[in-house]
Amino acid sequence: MTYQWKIELPIPAQEAGEYLEKLEERDGCITAQSLLEESRPENAPLHRCFEWDDAKAAELYRLKQARFIISNLTVEISETEIKPRGFVSVSETRETGRFVSISRAMSTPEMKGQVLRNALDELLNFRKKYSGLQELAELFRLIDKLVA
């Protein structure tokens, strides 16, 4: 198998993928906890992919929690079971992390455009991630038709 990173990390993707294969073969599966434990020694292949400075790691984790809080709220629309997110990203990247209420985003042309671009990107990422599943072929044809 050939491995590639979506976002570059400090070791080659192929090396990381082969290492994960070995862990899976040895343990039957990989968990975040087991990978973290395996990566603690400084000579572990993926050690450099983790933030080991506890103060920095704690701050990064709190930022992740803040993003989770923002993205976890939904709004109820009367007479429907659809519960869209209450706040949506109007940023082109996760790092800039600008969120606004769904009502504000959809009533501002520039923000609405960004929300729709983000939604399309997520849809295309879904298609790419699951492209090997024949059971979703009809859905993929619809997605292809949509973006054509």
Side-chain angles (χ1 to χ4, degrees), residues 126 130-143:
F126 172 87
Y130 295 104
S131 63
L133 298 179
Q134 185 59 38
E135 294 82 356
L136 298 176
E138 182 59 31
L139 176 61
F140 297 151
R141 280 191 281 282
L142 293 172
I143 291 171

Side-chain angles (χ1 to χ4, degrees), residues 28-116:
C29 71
I30 305 163
T31 66
Q33 185 66 46
S34 68
L35 180 58
L36 175 61
E37 294 306 320
E38 289 288 331
S39 300
R40 285 189 192 282
E42 288 187 28
N43 64 343
L46 295 174
H47 181 82
R48 295 180 321 178
C49 296
F50 289 87
E51 177 57 68
W52 297 104
D53 179 310
D54 287 343
K56 287 181 184 176
E59 188 66 12
L60 291 170
Y61 181 70
R62 284 189 283 274
L63 285 170
K64 182 178 179 178
Q65 287 178 310
R67 287 185 195 99
F68 173 77
I69 290 167
I70 294 167
S71 65
N72 196 39
L73 283 171
T74 62
V75 292
E76 189 170 326
I77 300 173
S78 59
E79 299 179 23
T80 180
E81 292 185 26
I82 298 171
K83 293 186 178 181
R85 291 178 49 186
F87 293 83
V88 292
S89 174
V90 291
S91 303
E92 291 185 28
T93 66
R94 290 187 98 158
E95 289 74 33
T96 54
R98 293 182 342 144
F99 294 86
V100 298
S101 67
I102 184 74
S103 58
R104 179 175 173 210
M106 298 313 283
S107 65
T108 307
E110 182 182 319
M111 290 183 196
K112 181 178 181 178
Q114 187 59 51
V115 169
L116 294 175

